Each structure stands twice: as C-alpha cells, then as structure tokens.
Amino acid sequence: MKKENTETGNRTGEWKTRRRTGFLAAGLAAALLTFTGCGSASSDMAMMTTSKSADGAYESAFYDTGDVYANEYEYDTAEAVAEEGAPEEVAVQDTSRKLIRNVSMDVETEEFETLYARVNEKTKAYGGYVESSNVYNNSSYYGESLRNASLTIRIPQDKLDSFLSNVAEISNVTSRSENVTDVTLQYVDMESHKKALEVEQERLLDLMEQAESVEDIITIESRLSDVRYQIESMESQLRTMDNQVNYSTVNLYINEVEKLTPVEEQDTWERISSGFINSLEDVGEGLSEFGIGVLIDLPYIVVFLIVLLIFVLVIKGIVRGHKKRKIKKAQRAEEKAAKKAADAARAAVQNTESTEKEEKHE
C-alpha cells in the first residue's frame, strides 16, 4: 500500500513538473511568434501551427505518465482546437481599398465674410466638420484691410468631389493639389496581426485557467498584459486609419482681394487691354494712396517743417553774427592803420618843424 502511494506521489510530481514545462514552452512559442511578426494571412497559419505544437508538447508530456489527468488535459485541448476551428476557417480579410485623400486649395474672394460663412454652411451640409480655423486681419498702415483664412476641413470621402465643386462655384480657385495614399496593405497587415494576438490572448486565458503554480500564473499574466497592450494599440491605429479614410482632409486657404485673378488664358488683345487698364488703375490708386498718406502724415510734416525752420533761422543767425564780427574786425584794423598813419604824419611834421628851427638858430 505504501509502495502504491509512493508511486502515485511520484507520478503526480512528475506530471506537475512536465505540466509547468509545457506552460513555459507555450509562453516561449507565443513570444517567438509575436516578435517574428504576423503581417499576413500566412502569419495566422503560423500561429495555429505553433499553438498546436505547444498543445502537442503538453499532450506528449502528460501521455507518458499514464495518469488520468493526462487524458483529461488531452480531451480539453482537442475540444479547444475544435472550437477555434481549422486555419482555413478564419474569416477572410476585407480587401477593399483604403484610400486617404488630402486636398489643398487656394481661393480668392472679394467678399470675405460671405465666402467664409458659406464654406462653413457647406461643410455642415455635407456631414463634415471644421477641424481647425485661423483668420488673419491684415490691416495695413493706410487703413486697407485685406483678410485671409486657413481652414482644415474633414469631409466624408464619398462627398468630397461634390464639396470641392461647390467651393469652386462660390470662389475663385487659383490653385489646387490632391494627394492620395493607399493604406490597404498596411491596414490588412495590422488587422491580421491583431487577429493573431487575439488568438494568442484566448489561448493564454485558457492556460491561465489551467495553471496551478504561482510561477506559471505570473509568467502567463506578464505575457497576457503585453498582448492586451499591443491589441489596444493596434485598435487605436485602426480607428485612426478608418477616420482618415472615411473623412478626407481639405486644407482651404481663403484670400481677400480687391480684384480676382484671371484663371483663364487670355489672347494678345485681351492681355494688352487688361494690362493697360490695370496700369491706369495702379496710377490712380498710387496717387490716391499718396494723398491719403500725406493727410495721415500731416502732423509729422508740420512738426518737421517747424524744426527745419528753426534750424534755418539758427544757421542764418550764426552766419550773420560771423559776418558782423568780421566787419568789426576789419573796421578796427582800418582804425589802427589810420591812427598809425596819423601818428607818422604828426611825427614827420614835428621833425620838419624842429629841423627848421635848428636852421634858423644857426
């Protein structure tokens, strides 16, 4: 009896050891499959094959013990595989093309507020929304107000062309560019990878239910947390991609102008006549702006003229004073010369008189 109990205990310990080994083998196989990537339908097949190999490892590990638990585990594994189905029964991926359309348009208008309001109305009417809007009021120094706006609009893809046609009808389109990005392969690969991770998640949950040791539970929970994080990340990327596909992006730039730019090609006579008229308008506008500028700057002009007048008067005073000093200096020089001449004449007269007296005395 003791011998039978000892043999039963040995078989139970051996079974637990082999079962733990099977759990670790499954975890390593799942991790290896995730790191190598599951980018296509063939990755799903690889996932199924690897999972079956792990189950086979469990079955072989438990079958050799001859214990009753091995038969129960073999039955549960076969039932799980039957519920998951064969690889060829996996749902076929949606192969419709996933196109992201981005359009940039530059438009002109002579009525800025009217066009801005109508663009917002059209956006709502087509089921879209304005993602961002920036309006700039470019007020010039001379009172001229030419505004512009930059809008990022999201429009349902099936209504994009109609929306662009309506915008072209209510404005003057000066430029338009469109960029189409095909993300079909990226989308399908991501869905396949997500499906493979979901299969791995289900298998890890099954292993979690059958785990008995704390070490196995910790190992499975760690891997399960990584798988769930990757699934959530891919779901977020898929939602973002769906939004970009379902709602096209329109970058609309609205410029307010005084005259619309002609977008149709003109012949020689039309170019000459329009150019001449534009030149006359530019001259008239230049004269008008000059008059407006003079009136606006009139206080500055008056102050400048006053300062200039004071400066001129100061300069004239300095020049006049310099001339006066020069004249006085010349007069003093003449007076000195005259005095010297008078003194010399007086001395000569005295000398003559003294000479005459000496001659008479002799």
Side-chain angles (χ1 to χ4, degrees):
M1 185 65 178
K2 292 181 178 180
K3 184 176 181 180
E4 292 178 357
N5 292 335
T6 302
E7 291 177 355
T8 302
N10 291 336
R11 286 198 303 269
T12 302
E14 184 180 358
W15 171 78
K16 289 183 177 180
T17 302
R18 294 184 178 180
R19 186 173 184 177
R20 185 180 295 109
T21 304
F23 283 136
L24 296 177
L28 292 175
L32 179 59
L33 178 60
T34 302
F35 285 120
T36 52
C38 303
S40 61
S42 60
S43 62
D44 293 341
M45 180 70 75
M47 184 67 192
M48 294 296 184
T49 305
T50 305
S51 300
K52 288 184 177 181
S53 300
D55 291 341
Y58 291 166
E59 293 173 8
S60 61
F62 300 149
Y63 181 80
D64 293 340
T65 61
D67 194 70
V68 64
Y69 295 106
N71 295 330
E72 292 179 0
Y73 183 79
E74 183 178 358
Y75 175 79
D76 294 340
T77 304
E79 184 179 357
V81 173
E83 290 178 357
E84 291 177 1
E88 55 269 13
E89 294 179 0
V90 177
V92 179
Q93 298 287 349
D94 183 12
T95 57
S96 59
R97 297 181 65 187
K98 302 288 183 179
L99 303 178
I100 299 177
R101 297 181 63 186
N102 295 319
V103 180
S104 296
M105 288 184 65
D106 290 352
V107 300
E108 293 179 341
T109 181
E110 296 175 349
E111 300 176 354
F112 179 82
E113 294 180 355
T114 302
L115 177 60
Y116 186 81
R118 293 189 65 182
V119 167
N120 282 275
E121 292 175 0
K122 293 291 182 182
T123 300
K124 294 180 181 179
Y126 280 97
Y129 61 94
V130 178
E131 190 173 69
S132 65
S133 175
N134 296 301
V135 180
Y136 304 96
N137 185 12
N138 296 333
S139 298
S140 67
Y141 184 76
Y142 298 110
E144 182 182 5
S145 177
L146 296 178
R147 294 160 292 181
N148 58 76
S150 173
L151 295 91
T152 301
I153 304 172
R154 304 298 302 278
I155 298 294
Q157 187 180 30
D158 56 343
K159 299 179 181 179
L160 176 63
D161 294 329
S162 179
F163 173 78
L164 296 177
S165 299
N166 275 268
V167 172
E169 291 176 359
I170 61 178
S171 64
N172 184 44
V173 180
T174 56
S175 67
R176 170 180 170 175
S177 62
E178 181 174 350
N179 180 34
V180 180
T181 305
D182 190 348
V183 294
T184 305
L185 294 178
Q186 182 181 354
Y187 192 92
V188 172
D189 288 346
M190 195 170 294
E191 277 193 331
S192 299
H193 196 179
K194 175 176 168 288
K195 181 170 293 187
L197 290 171
E198 289 174 345
V199 172
E200 182 182 356
Q201 178 180 240
E202 294 176 1
R203 192 167 298 281
L204 289 171
L205 291 173
D206 293 339
L207 294 176
M208 179 71 73
E209 293 178 357
Q210 300 173 12
E212 295 182 355
S213 67
V214 176
E215 181 181 357
D216 294 342
I217 293 174
I218 293 175
T219 302
I220 295 173
E221 283 184 347
S222 176
R223 177 58 191 163
L224 187 60
S225 176
D226 293 340
V227 170
R228 285 174 176 171
Y229 175 79
Q230 294 183 45
I231 291 175
E232 291 176 358
S233 177
M234 289 185 181
E235 287 177 348
S236 175
Q237 295 180 47
L238 289 172
R239 284 194 299 268
T240 301
M241 204 174 298
D242 284 333
N243 179 265
Q244 293 176 341
V245 171
N246 296 331
Y247 284 84
S248 299
T249 303
V250 179
N251 296 312
L252 183 64
Y253 303 95
I254 302 175
N255 297 309
E256 184 181 24
V257 295
E258 295 181 353
K259 181 182 294 185
L260 299 178
T261 303
V263 294
E264 297 180 357
E265 187 176 356
Q266 297 177 330
D267 57 21
T268 304
W269 174 249
E270 289 178 346
R271 290 177 60 188
I272 293 174
S273 59
S274 63
F276 181 75
I277 294 173
N278 290 334
S279 298
L280 291 178
E281 291 178 351
D282 291 341
V283 171
E285 185 177 352
L287 294 174
S288 175
E289 293 295 333
F290 177 76
I292 294 173
V294 170
L295 292 176
I296 292 175
D297 295 334
L298 187 59
Y300 298 101
I301 296 174
V302 171
V303 172
F304 175 75
L305 292 177
I306 292 173
V307 172
L308 181 62
L309 179 61
I310 294 173
F311 180 75
V312 171
L313 293 176
V314 170
I315 295 299
K316 285 185 176 180
I318 293 173
V319 172
R320 190 179 296 113
H322 181 68
K323 287 182 177 180
K324 286 181 179 180
R325 287 194 299 271
K326 207 172 180 181
I327 293 171
K328 287 182 180 180
K329 187 177 180 180
Q331 289 176 352
R332 286 196 296 269
E334 290 178 356
E335 288 176 358
K336 287 181 179 181
K339 187 177 180 182
K340 286 182 179 181
D343 293 340
R346 196 179 302 112
V349 171
Q350 290 178 357
N351 291 332
T352 304
E353 289 177 354
S354 60
T355 303
E356 290 178 352
K357 284 181 180 182
E358 290 176 357
E359 289 177 353
K360 288 180 178 182
H361 181 70
E362 291 178 355

